[in-house]
Amino acid sequence: MAGLRAGHVVVVVGSRAWATLRNVPAPRHIASGKVREIYEVDDERLLFVATDRISAYDVILNQPIPDKGRVLTGLSLHFFDFLETPNHLVGTDLSDVPGLDDEDLVELRGRAMVVRRATVIPVECVVRGYLYGSSWREYRNGGGPTTEHLPGGLRLADRLPEPIFTPATKEASGHDENITEARTRELIGDALYGELRERSIDIYLRASAYAAAKGVILADTKFEFGFADDELLLIDEVLTPDSSRYWPADQWVPGRDVPSFDKQYVREWLDTTSWDRTPPAPDLPPEVVEGTRARYIEAFDRITGTSFDSYLAGKR
Ligand code: PZK
């Protein structure tokens, strides 16, 4: 949130307070992800913010996609509600978050969640129902951590006999590294491994059945969990297009690449340029920004069965 600045004071002219309206320091910035930011609210709570930044081919593009962060936050809220599994969401009311001015509230509308502070478990809980991405590359190249429990003879994008739990660790490089079941058990212990696998696969099964009813395949997804007061909570964003691979069901052909719901449009434009996929990316023309935004909103409407406009209308 560029815009959270400390040190403003209320200016009183006559009996009227105007202006700048920040009589409390701005929330302290805690962490930046590629496309998300976290701020401190108090000892127990954080402000989780989804920005409009977008990455493609692992590079952050120069142009934000207006409302992308609101679409992703709306999808996370939708699935926290649908799943009814213990999670970190406290709410979206920002009126009792100290240090936000009117400008911040406008910027944050629909894109911020107040969440419970948790101790983050250092394992990304990936569930895969289809063979794609890094798992397909491991499989094709003779096997790796994610393929140790798979049968032979599978093709790219094949549906797996049953969903598999394929944890990864966040590396300093920013890339996730797939790790074996044995390595995961060493890192977090057998008891927690069993709980995370069961929770993750259960959530995947329910979310993928939900998506299938809307004509959407949830190919794979990544969850994070944390502990708060000894309770195991689902944290982070959930089942968004940034944390999940969503495919239009009618575009799925085993053996072929499948276009991603949200990013295919911008990737196809990038592929028309001579860009070598190293930073910086080429500037997106306005019509590509607008077309990408439309795809995110279409994904929201299709997956939630509601409208993004009605979601926003409900946020203040
Ligand atoms: C937490 N991240 C990932 C990094 C981001 C997000 N409920 C929580 N309690 C404590 N810590 C976190 C959470 C959550 N969610 C998540 N880092 C810390 C991350 C950078 C930017 F937006």
Side-chain angles (χ1 to χ4, degrees):
M1 192 169 19
L4 286 190
R5 305 163 313 275
H8 292 204
V9 282
V10 173
V11 177
V12 180
V13 178
S15 63
R16 178 145 173 244
W18 71 5
T20 122
L21 324 151
R22 195 197 294 285
N23 51 11
V24 186
R28 188 169 70 90
H29 182 250
I30 301 240
S32 276
K34 282 200 298 187
V35 303
R36 303 165 302 161
E37 304 289 347
I38 295 186
Y39 299 84
E40 177 174 71
V41 175
D42 58 30
D43 287 353
E44 266 141 39
R45 297 174 304 160
L46 301 173
L47 190 64
F48 186 106
V49 179
T51 73
D52 290 339
R53 296 193 294 269
I54 183 173
S55 72
Y57 298 125
D58 253 11
V59 174
I60 304 288
L61 305 184
N62 306 323
Q63 283 68 38
I65 304 302
D67 291 329
K68 169 177 177 276
R70 295 189 170 96
V71 166
L72 268 59
T73 299
L75 282 166
S76 283
L77 294 169
H78 176 79
F79 281 110
F80 280 133
D81 181 57
F82 170 77
L83 292 169
E84 295 183 317
T85 192
N87 65 65
H88 70 160
L89 179 67
V90 174
T92 57
D93 182 4
L94 304 181
S95 56
D96 64 341
V97 174
L100 299 176
D101 66 17
D102 285 0
E103 201 187 320
D104 297 330
L105 292 173
V106 168
E107 169 69 21
L108 291 173
R109 174 174 173 234
R111 68 170 77 248
M113 300 186 291
V114 176
V115 301
R116 216 164 132 196
R117 242 187 225 242
T119 303
V120 180
I121 297 165
V123 163
E124 311 266 314
C125 294
V126 180
V127 182
R128 302 170 187 273
Y130 292 76
L131 185 57
Y132 212 74
S134 67
S135 191
W136 163 250
R137 289 191 291 274
E138 287 177 2
Y139 191 87
R140 188 192 52 192
N141 298 335
T146 70
T147 68
E148 54 186 351
H149 303 296
L150 292 183
L154 296 171
R155 299 162 294 177
L156 172 68
D158 258 336
R159 183 170 187 184
L160 301 176
E162 60 186 357
I164 54 173
F165 180 60
T166 60
T169 52
K170 262 252 176 306
E171 292 307 296
S173 68
H175 280 104
D176 290 357
E177 180 177 320
N178 295 329
I179 55 176
T180 61
E181 175 176 344
R183 178 64 187 143
T184 312
R185 290 178 183 277
E186 279 175 12
L187 285 173
I188 61 175
D190 293 334
L192 187 52
Y193 177 89
E195 283 195 73
L196 292 180
R197 182 178 61 185
E198 184 177 326
R199 283 275 294 271
S200 298
I201 288 180
D202 173 73
I203 295 169
Y204 173 84
L205 286 171
R206 290 192 289 138
S208 58
Y210 173 93
K214 318 263 177 195
V216 175
I217 292 172
L218 176 60
D220 54 52
T221 189
K222 176 168 72 183
F223 304 116
E224 289 205 53
F225 292 88
F227 280 104
D229 299 329
D230 294 328
E231 212 189 340
L232 185 58
L233 302 179
L234 178 62
I235 66 170
D236 205 279
E237 59 180 328
V238 289
L239 295 158
T240 69
D242 279 4
S243 68
S244 314
R245 193 172 269 122
Y246 283 109
W247 293 334
D250 60 8
Q251 302 283 302
W252 170 56
V253 182
R256 296 213 223 161
D257 279 309
V258 189
S260 110
F261 214 120
D262 49 313
K263 283 185 182 159
Q264 198 58 28
Y265 182 84
V266 73
R267 284 184 191 144
E268 280 172 14
W269 180 82
L270 289 165
D271 292 347
T272 69
T273 72
S274 56
W275 183 44
D276 63 2
R277 302 186 185 178
T278 66
D283 287 340
L284 304 179
E287 61 271 22
V288 173
V289 171
E290 198 38 57
T292 304
R293 176 176 183 271
R295 301 306 297 267
Y296 276 97
I297 290 170
E298 188 194 329
F300 180 98
D301 293 358
R302 178 125 171 228
I303 293 167
T304 66
T306 64
S307 84
F308 177 66
D309 286 348
S310 65
Y311 165 71
L312 265 194
K315 298 295 166 203
R316 305 196 63 255

